[in-house]
Amino acid sequence: MNSVSSFLETPVEYLKRVGPQRAEVLKKELGIFTYSDLLHFFPFRYIDRTRFYKIKEVSEELPYIQLSGKITNPRILGQKRGMRLVAELSDETGVIELVWFQGIKWISKTLRPGIEYIVFGKPSVFNGKFNISHPALEEKTDENMELVKGLQPVYSTTELLKLKGLDSTGILKLQRSLVPLAVNYVNETLPEWITAKLQLMPLKEAMKHIHLPAGNEMLAQAQRRLKFEELFYLQLNMLRQKINREAEVKGFTFSHVGKTFNDFYNIHLPFPLTSAQKKVVKEIRRDMGTGKQMNRLLQGDVGSGKTLVALLNMLIAIDNGYQCCLMAPTEILAVQHFATLKELLAGMPIELDIITGSTKKREKKKLLDKLETGVLHIITGTHALIEDAVKFKRLGLVVIDEQHRFGVAQRARMWQKNETPPHVLVMTATPIPRTLAMTFYGDLDVSVVDEMPPGRKPVKTVHSYDNRRSEVYGFIKKEIEAGRQAYILYPLIEESEKSDLEDLVSGFEEIQKAFPAYRSAMIHGRLKFAEREKIMNLFAKNEIQILVATTVIEVGVNVPNASIILIESAQRFGLSQLHQLRGRVGRSSCQSYCILMTPYKLGSDARARIQTMVQTTDGFEISEQDLKLRGPGDLAGTQQSGVLDLKISDLARDGIIVKQARIIAEEVLAEDRELRLGKNKIIALQLARLEKEKGNWSRIS
Ligand code: ADP
Ligand code: MG
């Protein structure tokens, strides 16, 4: 065992072709210290050099291609900056030009006209003729033919490494001398029963084929094996963390449903619950009755009715003698929640209040007293709720709305308000692809409200160019005449962005001119809160028909009579943001519309986003698309999650493997929570190794 691991721990310096100088750059640039580090440095793509093309087959659509033939007539053309080296490559089917703009002297010296070369590069068209610029060249010797056979891995590298001869090919040469030897010392990291069950390649094999693949099939198998392993240990860690927390952290037991809940349900409930709402209320209720602390993520598309679900569960907490708080990411939303709850609870013996950044000092003091003495049952609010001064008598349930705006640390601070942590329910409408949810919220239980209240019509979404603005205005006018209201949205990403503010203001002026018969107002983050609140209230009462706004209204705002949202410069918004904004309409049984306005010229990503919005209203589909377009790092909700340092898996593409890994991880822990069984010994060992390497896994969730 010792000698086995010590081989892989050999400093990389001692590898053939490395030496102290190259070792130094490998350390600095890539963090490669040992043989093992180099072995775990995987290619990021592969180029297919299996096939040789004939020159007459060359077309512009081809990606990189490989040709072979004789090079003739090398000559230097042009002067100074226009200077280039040109030569012809010919095989029995035709001739193609090769061009170099750099390294001209050196290449022209080494080129040997008349002998056979292997040429690799990307064809392009110049002056109506095909050429390849800066092709990779090898003389067509038997040894070189061997080297270019099959799939060639590409390694990422840096300028400094290249200076030391360690471009991708240079690194490949190192791997060629290391891999065949090193794989013999690699210890398997998955137990036999798992590799057999999923038909995964042994680690030794996978390591070999990831660097030196013998064909596409072997490469695919190697990738699947390594991705599974990576995701499996990730899931296993997360699940274990969850299990440990459940075992260690006690929670309040809400043992019964009492008068508060029942009275509300039987007398005050304004409409029957959807079956999805019922299902989720039950799930949460069960969870809060177990004696364990609940940590649950409630997902549900915009408008699916999560607020009511939260309220019903708060009532259960109250029935059991506890207080609740409902925390929102923006003041507008907090105020709106307060108003909604107040209306729903009218006539019920429940004390509720609100605390935000704008709560006056005197008022706040009174309020805090009422919380501490237990007079208040429910408090809604913003971040202000987190402050240490806010103390509860018996906080039993914390509901956090639109969770992606709150960091994990903030969640934790709410817990610390009691000796026994309250139950935590985080709600989000920001669609998260299932695979991502599993990865990022792997330690939370998840409930999904997967049904809309009855009678909702999907919002009709259209894409319009700004030169058709007058038609769009005409349409909005008709809707307002029919009694509806409209949002007109401007991008104001940074509230300090001056040109954006100018756009907003001039847009507002234009609207006032175009709709003289109706009342409009403008709302943005720079307005005083009281001013914003006044405007929102007027809009809610339909005393204002058109609200010209920025993304301050992005989440949660609920004015069911508004049936149109026009989003200006829609190309500047991300997909999930567009989806949230669209969720401001379609909140009643009337047909609603979302108009995405853009200039005629659009980048391809922006066009793809707009098309997705037009094609679907399904939040999950949109989130999957978002993940494909942007990659997981940029998705809302993932930034706070710390780095998920994935070496080989791609969450946007490897959804199936994520699920498999999750299932197997669950299976392992269900049977062998402490990892004591002989058949799981390898797992226990590998976990210990990973923990040592990575330090603190708890960053992840
Ligand atoms: P979200 O899930 O986006 O937070 P809300 O809780 O704001 O959604 O609910 C959206 C709208 O749907 C609100 O006007 C709410 O009163 C209404 N609603 C919620 N549940 C139902 C239901 N079961 N039947 C009819 N309307 C409902
Ligand atoms: Mg909501």
Side-chain angles (χ1 to χ4, degrees), residues 67-90:
L67 303 163
S68 84
K70 287 198 173 71
I71 292 183
T72 52
N73 194 20
R75 58 215 183 266
I76 292 174
L77 301 176
Q79 283 187 354
K80 290 190 178 158
R81 294 212 167 166
M83 195 153 90
R84 61 202 183 273
L85 171 66
V86 179
E88 264 89 45
L89 174 77
S90 52

Side-chain angles (χ1 to χ4, degrees), residues 571-583:
Q571 77 280 0
R572 290 181 52 192
F573 294 92
L575 256 181
S576 63
Q577 212 175 12
L578 287 172
H579 182 65
Q580 274 289 351
L581 289 169
R582 178 166 62 184

Side-chain angles (χ1 to χ4, degrees), residues 271-274 277 301-307 453 456 558 587:
F271 25 62
L273 296 183
T274 63
Q277 285 171 318
D301 218 333
V302 224
S304 59
K306 294 186 293 295
T307 319
R456 294 284 167 80
N558 185 35
R587 298 187 151 247

Side-chain angles (χ1 to χ4, degrees), residues 18-281:
V18 179
Q21 282 193 6
R22 282 179 153 186
E24 202 49 42
V25 248
L26 281 169
K27 271 180 223 170
K28 271 217 186 93
E29 298 288 288
L30 300 174
I32 294 175
F33 290 77
T34 62
Y35 285 5
S36 171
D37 294 337
L38 182 59
L39 189 65
H40 286 89
F41 183 65
F42 299 144
F44 68 95
R45 74 186 167 94
Y46 299 81
I47 44 186
D48 190 353
R49 298 192 71 169
T50 329
R51 175 161 179 197
F52 279 91
Y53 283 81
K54 293 289 172 210
I55 290 177
K56 72 160 195 258
E57 292 175 292
V58 171
S59 77
E60 220 186 340
E61 286 87 67
L62 286 176
Y64 285 83
I65 57 165
Q66 184 161 251
L67 303 163
S68 84
K70 287 198 173 71
I71 292 183
T72 52
N73 194 20
R75 58 215 183 266
I76 292 174
L77 301 176
Q79 283 187 354
K80 290 190 178 158
R81 294 212 167 166
M83 195 153 90
R84 61 202 183 273
L85 171 66
V86 179
E88 264 89 45
L89 174 77
S90 52
D91 64 9
E92 67 279 12
T93 69
V95 181
I96 186 170
E97 203 165 77
L98 307 177
V99 195
W100 291 265
F101 301 96
Q102 279 150 19
I104 294 175
K105 262 197 191 145
W106 188 73
I107 295 162
S108 65
K109 240 192 265 170
T110 51
L111 267 186
R112 295 170 56 199
I115 73 154
E116 289 271 335
Y117 274 95
I118 305 165
V119 176
F120 183 80
K122 168 129 186 61
S124 55
V125 180
F126 184 71
N127 279 345
K129 280 197 303 190
F130 283 113
N131 71 32
I132 299 179
S133 59
H134 287 271
L137 288 186
E138 268 111 8
E139 290 183 19
K140 196 174 171 182
T141 59
D142 286 350
E143 194 196 338
N144 282 339
M145 281 301 277
E146 194 60 34
L147 200 73
V148 301
K149 222 165 56 182
L151 291 168
Q152 195 167 311
V154 183
Y155 294 90
S156 53
T157 169
T158 66
E159 285 309 314
L160 229 60
L161 282 160
K162 281 185 195 165
L163 275 177
K164 296 277 173 206
L166 292 176
D167 56 1
S168 174
T169 317
I171 294 174
L172 176 59
K173 283 182 182 158
L174 299 188
Q175 298 287 18
R176 274 174 188 276
S177 58
L178 174 69
V179 172
L181 204 60
V183 292
N184 297 314
Y185 296 91
V186 164
N187 284 320
E188 184 53 61
T189 51
L190 290 173
E192 231 268 342
W193 70 269
I194 293 180
T195 51
K197 186 168 182 164
L198 296 176
Q199 299 189 314
L200 295 171
M201 199 179 236
L203 184 57
K204 276 188 194 351
E205 293 283 298
M207 282 298 196
K208 190 169 102 202
H209 291 289
I210 205 74
H211 291 291
L212 313 169
N216 281 310
E217 173 55 28
M218 295 311 249
L219 174 61
Q221 281 197 41
Q223 287 173 321
R224 191 167 79 89
R225 148 79 212 212
L226 293 169
K227 287 174 177 187
F228 177 86
E229 175 182 332
E230 181 171 64
L231 294 166
F232 170 76
Y233 281 104
L234 184 67
Q235 295 290 347
L236 198 69
N237 264 302
M238 236 161 337
L239 287 171
R240 275 172 34 114
Q241 235 177 283
K242 182 174 159 212
I243 290 172
N244 288 342
R245 195 187 55 221
E246 283 171 359
E248 283 164 18
V249 182
K250 285 224 163 18
F252 300 121
T253 311
F254 294 174
S255 55
H256 67 286
V257 172
K259 190 170 160 48
T260 324
F261 181 95
N262 286 327
D263 278 357
F264 179 78
Y265 198 88
N266 297 325
I267 305 167
H268 297 272
L269 195 65
F271 25 62
L273 296 183
T274 63
S275 46
Q277 285 171 318
K278 277 187 204 160
K279 173 194 76 183
V280 170
V281 170

